[in-house]
Amino acid sequence: MEQPWTHRQRPERLERRLEFGDYETTRVFLEQLNDLSEQSGRFPDISFGRTYVNLTLRSETEDGPIGAPETAFAEAIDRLVP
């Protein structure tokens, strides 16, 4: 079972780690995430390896709170997860 987004403070952000069964699934997810980011103009912080992706979403405003835009983007990312 995938872990949900974690809401962190200082600075306020949403974080999530995704685990995949193989490199191909990871690669396909990253390509879809790239397309989503290009379409939305939102770009999460990403670190990844062969079978995992770590994501961090920050507010659109400097040091702003996590709000509806970040939550909506997180939900859009969730829909990409196989």
Side-chain angles (χ1 to χ4, degrees), residues 16-72:
R16 183 166 183 200
R17 180 180 177 94
L18 298 166
E19 302 275 347
F20 299 97
D22 55 41
Y23 172 75
E24 179 66 15
T25 306
T26 306
R27 185 188 62 75
V28 169
F29 171 79
L30 288 170
E31 287 176 358
Q32 292 174 337
L33 178 59
N34 178 65
D35 291 344
L36 175 64
S37 291
E38 290 291 336
Q39 292 169 4
S40 67
R42 305 270 337 238
F43 298 90
D45 293 337
I46 302 171
S47 66
F48 63 93
R50 186 170 180 78
T51 59
Y52 71 89
V53 176
N54 293 319
L55 299 167
T56 302
L57 302 180
R58 300 181 196 289
S59 173
E60 289 184 332
T61 59
E62 181 92 18
D63 295 324
I66 295 298
E70 293 77 28
T71 302

Side-chain angles (χ1 to χ4, degrees), residues 9-21:
Q9 302 294 326
R10 297 188 190 135
E12 193 169 358
R13 64 202 182 276
L14 294 174
E15 295 179 344
R16 183 166 183 200
R17 180 180 177 94
L18 298 166
E19 302 275 347
F20 299 97

